[in-house]
């Protein structure tokens, strides 16, 4: 289908989040089956939780959360937002499937695999990009409110957190979920639909 006929779908992600990763693989599946075009944006679990009263165990998990989003923003500033999807795929594959740490060596590898300058990995250890990270994060949060996580998705003026799902729906199951999510999110006055997670992230 022609690009001009496709509906833009904005997707905010943090490469560290396993749930956002699964949802991102789902939205790419949907993109094959519905006339949408995904546009990628950075948000940050570190920023999201910096002023929240969260368990120390979870706070300790966020120690390495700045590096990947800084690298993404550095790449976006150098090449444009169109490179974020490919870079996210390379980062997420290494993080969630290959279980590699979020460190400079992994960032260099992911950047190179995405066809980008591996020297941008140095951004991980610099605060130069933090203002831009915060601005992108706030843009996503402003659309849904504070009591959410990653990912945030917006389509045709309706924004929502999630869906949180495991494993990634494929084929028509992915398309059906999209149709339902869009219908719910576009309902005036609708705010929440939730149940307790009973399984860990499943990466396929």
């Amino acid at each position: 289908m022609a690009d001009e006929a496709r509906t833009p779908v904005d997707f905010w992600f943090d490469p560290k989040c396993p749930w956002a990763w699964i949802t991102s693989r789902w939205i790419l599946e949907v993109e094959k089956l519905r006339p949408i075009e995904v546009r990628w944006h950075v948000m940050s679990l570190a920023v999201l939780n910096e002023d929240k009263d969260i368990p120390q165990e979870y706070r300790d998990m966020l120690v390495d959360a700045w590096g990947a989003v800084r690298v993404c923003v550095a790449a976006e500033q150098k090449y444009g937002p169109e490179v974020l999807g490919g870079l996210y795929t390379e980062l997420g594959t290494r993080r969630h499937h290959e279980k590699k740490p979020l460190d400079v060596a992994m960032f260099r590898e992911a950047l190179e695999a995405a066809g980008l300058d591996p020297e941008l990995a140095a951004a991980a250890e610099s605060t130069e990009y933090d203002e831009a990270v915060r601005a992108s994060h706030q843009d996503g949060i402003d659309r849904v409110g504070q009591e959410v996580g990653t990912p945030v998705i917006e389509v045709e003026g309706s924004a929502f957190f999630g869906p949180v799902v495991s494993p990634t729906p494929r084929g028509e199951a992915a398309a059906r979920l999209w149709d339902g999510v869009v219908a719910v999110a576009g309902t005036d006055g609708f705010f929440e639909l939730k149940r307790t997670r009973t399984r860990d992230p499943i990466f396929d």
Side-chain angles (χ1 to χ4, degrees), residues 137-168:
H137 173 88
Q138 194 62 45
D139 184 27
I141 288 296
D142 283 346
R143 299 166 194 250
V144 291
Q146 294 295 322
E147 299 305 316
V148 299
T150 175
V152 168
I153 297 175
E154 182 178 66
V155 55
E156 296 186 319
S158 295
F160 50 89
F161 158 61
V164 176
V165 61
S166 178
T168 302

PDB file of all heavy atoms in Angstrom, residues 137-168:
ATOM      1  N   HIS A 137      10.962  12.121  25.856  1.00  0.00           N
ATOM      2  CA  HIS A 137      10.207  11.393  26.877  1.00  0.00           C
ATOM      3  C   HIS A 137       8.961  12.183  27.287  1.00  0.00           C
ATOM      4  O   HIS A 137       7.851  11.623  27.332  1.00  0.00           O
ATOM      5  CB  HIS A 137      11.102  11.166  28.092  1.00  0.00           C
ATOM      6  CG  HIS A 137      10.393  10.571  29.265  1.00  0.00           C
ATOM      7  ND1 HIS A 137      10.255   9.215  29.449  1.00  0.00           N
ATOM      8  CD2 HIS A 137       9.760  11.154  30.320  1.00  0.00           C
ATOM      9  CE1 HIS A 137       9.573   8.985  30.561  1.00  0.00           C
ATOM     10  NE2 HIS A 137       9.268  10.143  31.113  1.00  0.00           N
ATOM     11  N   GLN A 138       9.134  13.476  27.543  1.00  0.00           N
ATOM     12  CA  GLN A 138       8.011  14.293  28.003  1.00  0.00           C
ATOM     13  C   GLN A 138       6.936  14.408  26.938  1.00  0.00           C
ATOM     14  O   GLN A 138       5.735  14.447  27.244  1.00  0.00           O
ATOM     15  CB  GLN A 138       8.509  15.680  28.408  1.00  0.00           C
ATOM     16  CG  GLN A 138       7.491  16.480  29.203  1.00  0.00           C
ATOM     17  CD  GLN A 138       7.128  15.805  30.518  1.00  0.00           C
ATOM     18  OE1 GLN A 138       8.002  15.329  31.241  1.00  0.00           O
ATOM     19  NE2 GLN A 138       5.832  15.730  30.821  1.00  0.00           N
ATOM     20  N   ASP A 139       7.350  14.444  25.682  1.00  0.00           N
ATOM     21  CA  ASP A 139       6.388  14.513  24.586  1.00  0.00           C
ATOM     22  C   ASP A 139       5.450  13.313  24.630  1.00  0.00           C
ATOM     23  O   ASP A 139       4.234  13.442  24.466  1.00  0.00           O
ATOM     24  CB  ASP A 139       7.139  14.567  23.252  1.00  0.00           C
ATOM     25  CG  ASP A 139       6.205  14.740  22.067  1.00  0.00           C
ATOM     26  OD1 ASP A 139       5.109  15.309  22.230  1.00  0.00           O
ATOM     27  OD2 ASP A 139       6.579  14.306  20.958  1.00  0.00           O
ATOM     28  N   GLY A 140       6.021  12.135  24.856  1.00  0.00           N
ATOM     29  CA  GLY A 140       5.185  10.937  24.955  1.00  0.00           C
ATOM     30  C   GLY A 140       4.300  10.944  26.187  1.00  0.00           C
ATOM     31  O   GLY A 140       3.095  10.660  26.116  1.00  0.00           O
ATOM     32  N   ILE A 141       4.889  11.277  27.324  1.00  0.00           N
ATOM     33  CA  ILE A 141       4.154  11.277  28.585  1.00  0.00           C
ATOM     34  C   ILE A 141       3.022  12.297  28.576  1.00  0.00           C
ATOM     35  O   ILE A 141       1.927  12.050  29.117  1.00  0.00           O
ATOM     36  CB  ILE A 141       5.110  11.543  29.765  1.00  0.00           C
ATOM     37  CG1 ILE A 141       6.000  10.329  30.006  1.00  0.00           C
ATOM     38  CG2 ILE A 141       4.354  11.898  31.027  1.00  0.00           C
ATOM     39  CD1 ILE A 141       5.255   9.078  30.428  1.00  0.00           C
ATOM     40  N   ASP A 142       3.254  13.441  27.963  1.00  0.00           N
ATOM     41  CA  ASP A 142       2.219  14.479  27.918  1.00  0.00           C
ATOM     42  C   ASP A 142       0.954  13.993  27.205  1.00  0.00           C
ATOM     43  O   ASP A 142      -0.131  14.538  27.424  1.00  0.00           O
ATOM     44  CB  ASP A 142       2.747  15.725  27.207  1.00  0.00           C
ATOM     45  CG  ASP A 142       3.675  16.546  28.084  1.00  0.00           C
ATOM     46  OD1 ASP A 142       3.709  16.308  29.305  1.00  0.00           O
ATOM     47  OD2 ASP A 142       4.378  17.426  27.540  1.00  0.00           O
ATOM     48  N   ARG A 143       1.075  12.986  26.391  1.00  0.00           N
ATOM     49  CA  ARG A 143      -0.079  12.492  25.638  1.00  0.00           C
ATOM     50  C   ARG A 143      -0.933  11.507  26.432  1.00  0.00           C
ATOM     51  O   ARG A 143      -2.084  11.268  26.087  1.00  0.00           O
ATOM     52  CB  ARG A 143       0.396  11.837  24.335  1.00  0.00           C
ATOM     53  CG  ARG A 143       1.127  12.815  23.433  1.00  0.00           C
ATOM     54  CD  ARG A 143       1.891  12.096  22.326  1.00  0.00           C
ATOM     55  NE  ARG A 143       2.827  12.990  21.683  1.00  0.00           N
ATOM     56  CZ  ARG A 143       2.727  13.464  20.441  1.00  0.00           C
ATOM     57  NH1 ARG A 143       1.688  13.107  19.699  1.00  0.00           N
ATOM     58  NH2 ARG A 143       3.643  14.266  19.935  1.00  0.00           N
ATOM     59  N   VAL A 144      -0.340  10.907  27.482  1.00  0.00           N
ATOM     60  CA  VAL A 144      -1.064   9.869  28.221  1.00  0.00           C
ATOM     61  C   VAL A 144      -1.167  10.119  29.720  1.00  0.00           C
ATOM     62  O   VAL A 144      -1.982   9.507  30.398  1.00  0.00           O
ATOM     63  CB  VAL A 144      -0.428   8.476  27.993  1.00  0.00           C
ATOM     64  CG1 VAL A 144      -0.654   8.007  26.580  1.00  0.00           C
ATOM     65  CG2 VAL A 144       1.058   8.489  28.320  1.00  0.00           C
ATOM     66  N   GLY A 145      -0.306  10.975  30.284  1.00  0.00           N
ATOM     67  CA  GLY A 145      -0.319  11.193  31.721  1.00  0.00           C
ATOM     68  C   GLY A 145       0.819  10.467  32.408  1.00  0.00           C
ATOM     69  O   GLY A 145       1.555   9.693  31.794  1.00  0.00           O
ATOM     70  N   GLN A 146       0.949  10.680  33.700  1.00  0.00           N
ATOM     71  CA  GLN A 146       2.119  10.231  34.445  1.00  0.00           C
ATOM     72  C   GLN A 146       2.081   8.763  34.857  1.00  0.00           C
ATOM     73  O   GLN A 146       3.120   8.135  35.015  1.00  0.00           O
ATOM     74  CB  GLN A 146       2.286  11.100  35.697  1.00  0.00           C
ATOM     75  CG  GLN A 146       2.619  12.543  35.391  1.00  0.00           C
ATOM     76  CD  GLN A 146       3.965  12.704  34.723  1.00  0.00           C
ATOM     77  OE1 GLN A 146       4.914  12.009  35.041  1.00  0.00           O
ATOM     78  NE2 GLN A 146       4.043  13.628  33.767  1.00  0.00           N
ATOM     79  N   GLU A 147       0.908   8.201  35.059  1.00  0.00           N
ATOM     80  CA  GLU A 147       0.823   6.860  35.648  1.00  0.00           C
ATOM     81  C   GLU A 147       0.903   5.765  34.583  1.00  0.00           C
ATOM     82  O   GLU A 147       0.042   4.891  34.495  1.00  0.00           O
ATOM     83  CB  GLU A 147      -0.466   6.731  36.459  1.00  0.00           C
ATOM     84  CG  GLU A 147      -0.563   7.720  37.610  1.00  0.00           C
ATOM     85  CD  GLU A 147       0.648   7.649  38.544  1.00  0.00           C
ATOM     86  OE1 GLU A 147       1.080   6.540  38.881  1.00  0.00           O
ATOM     87  OE2 GLU A 147       1.159   8.719  38.916  1.00  0.00           O
ATOM     88  N   VAL A 148       1.953   5.825  33.775  1.00  0.00           N
ATOM     89  CA  VAL A 148       2.143   4.837  32.712  1.00  0.00           C
ATOM     90  C   VAL A 148       3.615   4.454  32.640  1.00  0.00           C
ATOM     91  O   VAL A 148       4.446   4.991  33.369  1.00  0.00           O
ATOM     92  CB  VAL A 148       1.697   5.395  31.341  1.00  0.00           C
ATOM     93  CG1 VAL A 148       0.221   5.765  31.361  1.00  0.00           C
ATOM     94  CG2 VAL A 148       2.540   6.598  30.938  1.00  0.00           C
ATOM     95  N   GLY A 149       3.916   3.526  31.756  1.00  0.00           N
ATOM     96  CA  GLY A 149       5.293   3.142  31.508  1.00  0.00           C
ATOM     97  C   GLY A 149       5.572   3.189  30.022  1.00  0.00           C
ATOM     98  O   GLY A 149       4.963   3.941  29.282  1.00  0.00           O
ATOM     99  N   THR A 150       6.516   2.343  29.584  1.00  0.00           N
ATOM    100  CA  THR A 150       6.850   2.246  28.184  1.00  0.00           C
ATOM    101  C   THR A 150       6.370   0.896  27.651  1.00  0.00           C
ATOM    102  O   THR A 150       6.466  -0.095  28.370  1.00  0.00           O
ATOM    103  CB  THR A 150       8.375   2.422  27.954  1.00  0.00           C
ATOM    104  OG1 THR A 150       8.686   2.204  26.584  1.00  0.00           O
ATOM    105  CG2 THR A 150       9.188   1.480  28.822  1.00  0.00           C
ATOM    106  N   PRO A 151       5.795   0.835  26.464  1.00  0.00           N
ATOM    107  CA  PRO A 151       5.745   1.888  25.457  1.00  0.00           C
ATOM    108  C   PRO A 151       4.508   2.758  25.560  1.00  0.00           C
ATOM    109  O   PRO A 151       3.526   2.394  26.201  1.00  0.00           O
ATOM    110  CB  PRO A 151       5.691   1.077  24.155  1.00  0.00           C
ATOM    111  CG  PRO A 151       4.834  -0.107  24.530  1.00  0.00           C
ATOM    112  CD  PRO A 151       5.267  -0.452  25.935  1.00  0.00           C
ATOM    113  N   VAL A 152       4.586   3.905  24.901  1.00  0.00           N
ATOM    114  CA  VAL A 152       3.432   4.763  24.653  1.00  0.00           C
ATOM    115  C   VAL A 152       3.197   4.776  23.148  1.00  0.00           C
ATOM    116  O   VAL A 152       4.145   4.873  22.367  1.00  0.00           O
ATOM    117  CB  VAL A 152       3.677   6.193  25.172  1.00  0.00           C
ATOM    118  CG1 VAL A 152       2.612   7.150  24.652  1.00  0.00           C
ATOM    119  CG2 VAL A 152       3.715   6.207  26.698  1.00  0.00           C
ATOM    120  N   ILE A 153       1.943   4.649  22.755  1.00  0.00           N
ATOM    121  CA  ILE A 153       1.578   4.653  21.343  1.00  0.00           C
ATOM    122  C   ILE A 153       0.507   5.712  21.116  1.00  0.00           C
ATOM    123  O   ILE A 153      -0.402   5.857  21.940  1.00  0.00           O
ATOM    124  CB  ILE A 153       1.045   3.278  20.898  1.00  0.00           C
ATOM    125  CG1 ILE A 153       2.138   2.210  21.036  1.00  0.00           C
ATOM    126  CG2 ILE A 153       0.516   3.316  19.467  1.00  0.00           C
ATOM    127  CD1 ILE A 153       1.664   0.790  20.742  1.00  0.00           C
ATOM    128  N   GLU A 154       0.629   6.445  20.019  1.00  0.00           N
ATOM    129  CA  GLU A 154      -0.427   7.380  19.632  1.00  0.00           C
ATOM    130  C   GLU A 154      -0.816   7.128  18.180  1.00  0.00           C
ATOM    131  O   GLU A 154       0.045   6.987  17.300  1.00  0.00           O
ATOM    132  CB  GLU A 154       0.003   8.833  19.791  1.00  0.00           C
ATOM    133  CG  GLU A 154      -1.139   9.799  19.438  1.00  0.00           C
ATOM    134  CD  GLU A 154      -0.781  11.254  19.631  1.00  0.00           C
ATOM    135  OE1 GLU A 154       0.098  11.740  18.900  1.00  0.00           O
ATOM    136  OE2 GLU A 154      -1.385  11.898  20.510  1.00  0.00           O
ATOM    137  N   VAL A 155      -2.122   7.076  17.931  1.00  0.00           N
ATOM    138  CA  VAL A 155      -2.636   6.931  16.570  1.00  0.00           C
ATOM    139  C   VAL A 155      -3.878   7.794  16.435  1.00  0.00           C
ATOM    140  O   VAL A 155      -4.786   7.710  17.260  1.00  0.00           O
ATOM    141  CB  VAL A 155      -2.939   5.452  16.229  1.00  0.00           C
ATOM    142  CG1 VAL A 155      -3.894   4.819  17.227  1.00  0.00           C
ATOM    143  CG2 VAL A 155      -3.474   5.324  14.810  1.00  0.00           C
ATOM    144  N   GLU A 156      -3.872   8.660  15.452  1.00  0.00           N
ATOM    145  CA  GLU A 156      -5.016   9.535  15.141  1.00  0.00           C
ATOM    146  C   GLU A 156      -5.540  10.263  16.376  1.00  0.00           C
ATOM    147  O   GLU A 156      -6.746  10.330  16.621  1.00  0.00           O
ATOM    148  CB  GLU A 156      -6.120   8.724  14.465  1.00  0.00           C
ATOM    149  CG  GLU A 156      -5.687   8.154  13.110  1.00  0.00           C
ATOM    150  CD  GLU A 156      -6.817   7.475  12.366  1.00  0.00           C
ATOM    151  OE1 GLU A 156      -7.605   6.754  13.014  1.00  0.00           O
ATOM    152  OE2 GLU A 156      -6.903   7.664  11.142  1.00  0.00           O
ATOM    153  N   GLY A 157      -4.626  10.789  17.177  1.00  0.00           N
ATOM    154  CA  GLY A 157      -5.020  11.595  18.329  1.00  0.00           C
ATOM    155  C   GLY A 157      -5.336  10.820  19.593  1.00  0.00           C
ATOM    156  O   GLY A 157      -5.562  11.422  20.635  1.00  0.00           O
ATOM    157  N   SER A 158      -5.359   9.490  19.514  1.00  0.00           N
ATOM    158  CA  SER A 158      -5.595   8.665  20.700  1.00  0.00           C
ATOM    159  C   SER A 158      -4.257   8.067  21.152  1.00  0.00           C
ATOM    160  O   SER A 158      -3.582   7.400  20.373  1.00  0.00           O
ATOM    161  CB  SER A 158      -6.573   7.525  20.389  1.00  0.00           C
ATOM    162  OG  SER A 158      -7.843   8.036  20.076  1.00  0.00           O
ATOM    163  N   ALA A 159      -3.890   8.316  22.395  1.00  0.00           N
ATOM    164  CA  ALA A 159      -2.633   7.801  22.935  1.00  0.00           C
ATOM    165  C   ALA A 159      -2.914   6.864  24.096  1.00  0.00           C
ATOM    166  O   ALA A 159      -3.892   7.024  24.824  1.00  0.00           O
ATOM    167  CB  ALA A 159      -1.733   8.949  23.385  1.00  0.00           C
ATOM    168  N   PHE A 160      -2.043   5.873  24.265  1.00  0.00           N
ATOM    169  CA  PHE A 160      -2.231   4.894  25.324  1.00  0.00           C
ATOM    170  C   PHE A 160      -0.906   4.245  25.671  1.00  0.00           C
ATOM    171  O   PHE A 160       0.043   4.268  24.885  1.00  0.00           O
ATOM    172  CB  PHE A 160      -3.246   3.819  24.907  1.00  0.00           C
ATOM    173  CG  PHE A 160      -2.985   3.207  23.549  1.00  0.00           C
ATOM    174  CD1 PHE A 160      -2.173   2.094  23.408  1.00  0.00           C
ATOM    175  CD2 PHE A 160      -3.552   3.761  22.402  1.00  0.00           C
ATOM    176  CE1 PHE A 160      -1.935   1.530  22.165  1.00  0.00           C
ATOM    177  CE2 PHE A 160      -3.320   3.209  21.156  1.00  0.00           C
ATOM    178  CZ  PHE A 160      -2.506   2.092  21.033  1.00  0.00           C
ATOM    179  N   PHE A 161      -0.832   3.666  26.863  1.00  0.00           N
ATOM    180  CA  PHE A 161       0.299   2.863  27.300  1.00  0.00           C
ATOM    181  C   PHE A 161       0.017   1.411  26.938  1.00  0.00           C
ATOM    182  O   PHE A 161      -1.065   0.896  27.174  1.00  0.00           O
ATOM    183  CB  PHE A 161       0.480   3.009  28.816  1.00  0.00           C
ATOM    184  CG  PHE A 161       1.228   1.873  29.459  1.00  0.00           C
ATOM    185  CD1 PHE A 161       2.529   1.581  29.090  1.00  0.00           C
ATOM    186  CD2 PHE A 161       0.622   1.102  30.443  1.00  0.00           C
ATOM    187  CE1 PHE A 161       3.211   0.526  29.680  1.00  0.00           C
ATOM    188  CE2 PHE A 161       1.297   0.064  31.046  1.00  0.00           C
ATOM    189  CZ  PHE A 161       2.603  -0.237  30.664  1.00  0.00           C
ATOM    190  N   GLY A 162       1.029   0.754  26.388  1.00  0.00           N
ATOM    191  CA  GLY A 162       0.873  -0.652  26.044  1.00  0.00           C
ATOM    192  C   GLY A 162       0.521  -0.841  24.587  1.00  0.00           C
ATOM    193  O   GLY A 162       0.782   0.031  23.773  1.00  0.00           O
ATOM    194  N   PRO A 163      -0.094  -1.970  24.233  1.00  0.00           N
ATOM    195  CA  PRO A 163      -0.518  -3.052  25.117  1.00  0.00           C
ATOM    196  C   PRO A 163       0.660  -3.870  25.647  1.00  0.00           C
ATOM    197  O   PRO A 163       1.669  -4.023  24.960  1.00  0.00           O
ATOM    198  CB  PRO A 163      -1.402  -3.915  24.202  1.00  0.00           C
ATOM    199  CG  PRO A 163      -0.852  -3.682  22.836  1.00  0.00           C
ATOM    200  CD  PRO A 163      -0.413  -2.254  22.820  1.00  0.00           C
ATOM    201  N   VAL A 164       0.507  -4.360  26.865  1.00  0.00           N
ATOM    202  CA  VAL A 164       1.492  -5.252  27.474  1.00  0.00           C
ATOM    203  C   VAL A 164       1.051  -6.673  27.170  1.00  0.00           C
ATOM    204  O   VAL A 164      -0.027  -7.099  27.595  1.00  0.00           O
ATOM    205  CB  VAL A 164       1.571  -5.014  28.994  1.00  0.00           C
ATOM    206  CG1 VAL A 164       2.519  -6.011  29.635  1.00  0.00           C
ATOM    207  CG2 VAL A 164       2.015  -3.582  29.275  1.00  0.00           C
ATOM    208  N   VAL A 165       1.870  -7.400  26.431  1.00  0.00           N
ATOM    209  CA  VAL A 165       1.470  -8.720  25.945  1.00  0.00           C
ATOM    210  C   VAL A 165       2.694  -9.616  25.856  1.00  0.00           C
ATOM    211  O   VAL A 165       3.811  -9.141  25.640  1.00  0.00           O
ATOM    212  CB  VAL A 165       0.767  -8.592  24.563  1.00  0.00           C
ATOM    213  CG1 VAL A 165       1.701  -7.995  23.531  1.00  0.00           C
ATOM    214  CG2 VAL A 165       0.192  -9.905  24.099  1.00  0.00           C
ATOM    215  N   SER A 166       2.522 -10.899  26.040  1.00  0.00           N
ATOM    216  CA  SER A 166       3.622 -11.855  25.943  1.00  0.00           C
ATOM    217  C   SER A 166       3.062 -13.243  25.632  1.00  0.00           C
ATOM    218  O   SER A 166       2.140 -13.698  26.315  1.00  0.00           O
ATOM    219  CB  SER A 166       4.388 -11.911  27.277  1.00  0.00           C
ATOM    220  OG  SER A 166       5.424 -12.859  27.234  1.00  0.00           O
ATOM    221  N   PRO A 167       3.550 -13.892  24.575  1.00  0.00           N
ATOM    222  CA  PRO A 167       4.579 -13.456  23.628  1.00  0.00           C
ATOM    223  C   PRO A 167       3.995 -12.530  22.563  1.00  0.00           C
ATOM    224  O   PRO A 167       2.824 -12.137  22.651  1.00  0.00           O
ATOM    225  CB  PRO A 167       5.052 -14.773  23.015  1.00  0.00           C
ATOM    226  CG  PRO A 167       3.810 -15.633  23.023  1.00  0.00           C
ATOM    227  CD  PRO A 167       3.096 -15.276  24.301  1.00  0.00           C
ATOM    228  N   THR A 168       4.800 -12.203  21.565  1.00  0.00           N
ATOM    229  CA  THR A 168       4.369 -11.310  20.490  1.00  0.00           C
ATOM    230  C   THR A 168       3.285 -11.961  19.640  1.00  0.00           C
ATOM    231  O   THR A 168       3.505 -13.033  19.080  1.00  0.00           O
ATOM    232  CB  THR A 168       5.561 -10.965  19.577  1.00  0.00           C
ATOM    233  OG1 THR A 168       6.601 -10.363  20.355  1.00  0.00           O
ATOM    234  CG2 THR A 168       5.137 -10.031  18.462  1.00  0.00           C
TER     235      THR A 168
END
